[in-house]
């Protein structure tokens, strides 16, 4: 069916409405998005149980989260190219299949190494789900209705941080940790069938050659660098071969990627974007923020489980105020950033996060729950005022043709920085627990758990463990404080779009 360009004004409201076809597409996409978003939060409350199950240390078990985040970062730049090359529907179906396979084998994991490997497979599928979903929705709705369909997709994005820890806690307590992965299978099966039946077919389009050499340098380089850093406590220092060798190999690979990306057309990550001052400032703010915030978020459920002796479900429920805070702040922060400039929203958001972390940097074994829950709500408010406004600030001075590259680069920065934060904070906590309990780093958390479960040593162990968490949160607090420096230079005026003659609407890429 064709629509006349001379359509009258009375036809515009009908065009702007979300018709049944678009709503069906949105419903299918939301199913896939629920899986990807829940899985970024559902695992955190199970880490303490997984540490005991596999008798390992916290700095090792955090790779269950870190490996997933690195896999997400790896496939983000592939998605745009693959959508053109193979068609968005095929890519979306492949993403669901990969996520399903990863979920099934993760639930069957027999040791920590197999679980980490299978989480990487799951992350490869999860990383493609959200960008492909954005593209499908944008094509189905058209530019004039993108805002409405993004609001539909925003529901699981806002509810995920609340529902994920609660669902994960209930499954760990009432069923088995394996079901935090198996739960994706029925959801994924329905999503796969619905996507196959409902999503419109699209034909592959000619596109540029994908930068496979760049991917083979950047992804292993980041993984080797983070692996080397994470092995420092176990190896006893940076001079150990298991530390400096992977770190050096990672640095060489990353340096090779940078040198190559600056010389070729269509690199995996468009580094020339960093010539734009606003983009560079926003990227620096995002990087520091992700290291501090995502690292701290990995530790919060473990504090409730280990120090306070809460069940996994109770820990998930106790984390709900953080998600509620983000849900309250995010819609207002986005609109406000468009009106007054991102800088005027991000700075207060960072100060809220600092205020929330101050409580946790002083946390004890008997800190009142009302203080912890209030702090979590304030942290959520701060997160809602920072992440998306930082993304918006980074894009506001770029031309339309650069927006897709910039969105991809920012998501990679967010995921890799979050992975670094998870590794670093886990290393600090593992080292502090080992020092307090007088055992090797690999045994710190297990020793703390044993001492806390013994009535004779419980009270003294709770004080020592809480002190370890408080000292670790101090590092998060310092890093969030450091975010304020680049954030001071974020735009403090409403965005003025640049015109470059390219009228193609690039689909937005949302962080997850």
């Amino acid at each position: 069916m064709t629509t006349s360009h001379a359509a009258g004004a009375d036809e515009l409201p009908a065009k702007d409405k979300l018709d049944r076809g678009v709503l069906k597409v949105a419903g299918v996409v939301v199913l896939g998005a629920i899986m990807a978003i829940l899985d970024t939060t559902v695992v955190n409350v199970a880490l303490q149980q997984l540490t005991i199950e596999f008798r390992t240390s916290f700095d090792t078990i955090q790779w269950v989260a870190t490996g997933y985040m690195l896999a997400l970062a790896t496939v983000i730049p592939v998605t745009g190219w693959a959508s053109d090359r193979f068609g968005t529907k095929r890519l979306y179906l492949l993403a669901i299949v990969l996520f399903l396979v990863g979920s099934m084998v993760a639930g069957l994991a027999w040791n920590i190494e197999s679980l980490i490997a299978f989480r990487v497979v799951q992350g490869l599928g999860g990383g493609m789900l959200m960008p492909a979903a954005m593209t499908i929705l944008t094509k189905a709705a058209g530019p004039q209705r993108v805002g409405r369909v993004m609001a539909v997709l925003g529901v699981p994005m806002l509810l995920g941080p609340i529902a994920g820890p609660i669902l994960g806690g209930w499954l760990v307590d009432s069923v088995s940790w394996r079901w935090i992965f198996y739960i994706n299978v029925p959801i994924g099966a329905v999503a796969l069938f619905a996507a196959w039946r409902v999503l419109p077919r699209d034909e592959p389009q000619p596109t540029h050659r994908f930068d496979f050499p760049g991917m083979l340098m950047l992804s292993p380089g980041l993984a080797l660098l983070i692996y080397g850093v994470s092995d420092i406590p176990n190896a006893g220092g940076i001079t150990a071969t298991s530390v400096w060798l992977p770190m050096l190999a990672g640095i060489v690979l990353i340096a090779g990627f940078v040198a190559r990306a600056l010389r070729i057309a269509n690199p995996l990550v468009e580094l020339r974007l960093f010539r734009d001052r606003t983009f560079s400032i926003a990227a620096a703010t995002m990087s520091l923020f992700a290291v501090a915030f995502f690292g701290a978020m990995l530790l919060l459920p473990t504090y409730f489980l280990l120090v306070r002796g809460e069940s996994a479900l109770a820990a998930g429920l106790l984390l709900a105020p953080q998600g509620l805070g983000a849900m309250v702040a995010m819609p207002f922060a986005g609109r406000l950033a468009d009106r007054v400039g991102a800088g005027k929203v991000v700075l207060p958001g960072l100060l809220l996060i600092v205020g929330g972390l101050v409580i946790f940097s002083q946390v004890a074994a008997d800190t009142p729950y009302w203080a912890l829950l209030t702090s979590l709500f304030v942290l959520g408010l701060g997160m809602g005022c920072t992440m998306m406004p930082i993304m918006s600030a980074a894009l506001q001075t770029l031309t339309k043709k650069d927006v897709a590259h910039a969105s991809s680069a920012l998501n990679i920065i967010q995921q890799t920085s979050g992975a670094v934060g998870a590794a670093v904070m886990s290393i600090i906590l593992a080292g502090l627990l080992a020092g307090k309990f007088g055992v090797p780093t690999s045994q710190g958390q297990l020793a703390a758990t044993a001492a806390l479960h013994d009535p004779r040593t419980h009270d003294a162990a709770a004080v020592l463990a809480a002190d370890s968490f408080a000292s670790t949160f101090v590092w998060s607090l310092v890093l969030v404080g450091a975010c304020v420096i680049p954030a001071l230079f974020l735009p403090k005026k409403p965005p003025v779009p640049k015109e470059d003659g390219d009228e193609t609407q690039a689909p937005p890429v949302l962080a997850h």
Side-chain angles (χ1 to χ4, degrees):
M1 181 183 292
T2 60
T3 304
S4 169
H5 290 288
D10 57 335
E11 295 177 9
L12 290 176
K15 287 200 309 180
D16 286 345
K17 286 181 182 176
L18 293 181
D19 54 66
R20 189 165 175 265
V22 174
L23 288 173
K24 284 170 69 177
V25 170
V28 170
V29 166
V30 164
L31 268 178
I34 285 171
M35 289 195 305
I37 293 164
L38 281 180
D39 230 68
T40 58
T41 55
V42 76
V43 172
N44 287 356
V45 294
L47 292 180
Q48 171 69 4
Q49 178 64 35
L50 293 173
T51 303
I52 298 168
E53 178 81 19
F54 295 116
R55 297 200 60 77
T56 187
S57 60
F58 195 70
D59 57 313
T60 298
I61 207 71
Q62 59 84 22
W63 276 92
V64 175
T66 300
Y68 183 83
M69 285 190 280
L70 283 176
L72 287 179
T74 298
V75 295
I76 286 168
V78 181
T79 308
W81 171 83
S83 293
D84 292 335
R85 178 68 180 80
F86 303 108
T88 314
K89 179 176 181 177
R90 291 177 187 173
L91 181 69
Y92 192 70
L93 293 172
L94 172 65
I96 294 175
V97 169
L98 263 178
F99 195 85
L100 275 177
V101 170
S103 297
M104 286 188 285
V105 292
L108 296 169
W110 54 92
N111 58 25
I112 187 57
E113 291 80 12
S114 63
L115 179 58
I116 292 168
F118 297 148
R119 279 284 282 171
V120 169
V121 175
Q122 199 183 25
L124 293 174
M128 289 190 288
L129 272 172
M130 287 299 287
M134 296 294 174
T135 305
I136 289 167
L137 274 178
T138 303
K139 288 180 178 178
Q144 78 278 10
R145 297 185 293 183
V146 165
R148 287 180 176 83
V149 292
M150 288 303 141
V152 173
L153 194 59
V155 173
M157 292 191 70
L158 290 172
L159 294 179
I162 302 171
I166 296 171
L167 176 63
W170 176 74
L171 290 170
V172 169
D173 284 345
S174 303
V175 192
S176 161
W177 66 264
R178 297 183 185 275
W179 275 90
I180 63 176
F181 303 111
Y182 290 151
I183 193 68
N184 293 319
V185 176
I187 300 173
V190 173
L192 186 66
F193 177 76
W196 175 65
R197 288 295 303 269
V198 172
L199 295 185
R201 234 183 127 115
D202 56 341
E203 293 302 320
Q205 301 292 328
T207 187
H208 61 80
R209 181 178 295 179
F210 183 70
D211 183 17
F212 282 108
M215 187 174 75
L216 294 175
M217 285 190 280
L218 183 61
S219 300
L222 290 168
L224 284 167
L225 180 60
I226 296 173
Y227 174 79
V229 171
S230 68
D231 198 47
I232 290 174
N234 288 330
I238 200 168
T239 56
T241 305
S242 62
V243 173
W244 70 260
L245 187 59
M247 284 179 65
L248 179 62
I251 291 168
V252 168
L253 284 170
I254 293 168
F257 168 80
V258 171
R260 184 174 180 277
L262 292 172
R263 289 187 292 104
I264 66 168
N266 301 311
L268 185 72
V269 180
E270 186 52 85
L271 298 180
R272 297 177 188 89
L273 291 168
F274 288 91
R275 294 171 183 166
D276 183 279
R277 179 177 176 273
T278 302
F279 179 84
S280 296
I281 290 168
T285 309
M286 174 65 79
S287 181
L288 284 170
F289 172 79
V291 170
F293 193 78
F294 288 104
M297 293 310 100
L298 194 72
L299 304 181
L300 287 171
T302 308
Y303 166 79
F304 287 119
L305 292 162
L306 184 64
V307 179
R308 307 304 287 259
E310 298 289 352
S311 66
L313 175 57
L317 288 166
L318 286 165
L319 292 172
Q322 182 191 330
L324 288 170
M327 187 166 66
V328 168
M330 201 175 288
F332 296 105
R335 287 199 292 270
L336 198 58
D338 287 340
R339 288 182 186 174
V340 302
K344 292 180 180 178
V345 179
V346 172
L347 281 169
L350 290 174
L351 293 177
L352 284 170
I353 293 172
V354 166
L357 283 174
V358 164
I359 299 294
F360 281 96
S361 69
Q362 305 296 316
V363 79
D366 57 355
T367 302
Y369 276 102
W370 67 262
L372 298 175
L373 297 180
T374 303
S375 176
L376 284 167
F377 183 73
V378 172
L379 282 172
L381 289 174
M383 186 184 76
C385 292
T386 49
M387 193 174 301
M388 292 313 293
I390 291 171
M391 295 278 281
S392 301
L395 305 180
Q396 75 177 52
T397 58
L398 301 177
T399 56
K400 286 182 181 178
K401 64 184 179 65
D402 286 332
V403 166
H405 292 298
S407 297
S408 177
L410 284 169
N411 276 271
I412 292 169
I413 289 167
Q414 181 203 315
Q415 296 297 338
T416 53
S417 298
V420 169
V424 169
M425 294 303 161
S426 301
I427 290 166
I428 294 170
L429 178 64
L432 288 167
L433 285 171
K436 296 285 185 184
F437 289 90
V439 296
T441 302
S442 59
Q443 298 298 313
Q445 193 170 358
L446 293 174
T449 303
L452 285 160
H453 285 169
D454 187 339
R456 296 169 298 176
T457 57
H458 175 272
D459 291 346
V463 172
L464 294 174
D467 189 53
S468 299
F469 276 92
S471 299
T472 308
F473 282 118
V474 168
W475 285 95
S476 292
L477 184 60
V478 169
L479 285 168
V480 173
C483 286
V484 173
I485 297 171
L488 287 169
F489 300 95
L490 289 172
K492 295 180 178 64
K493 293 180 180 178
V496 179
K498 266 191 182 179
E499 294 298 332
D500 63 350
D502 180 5
E503 297 303 321
T504 303
Q505 176 74 31
V509 181
L510 297 184
H512 66 292

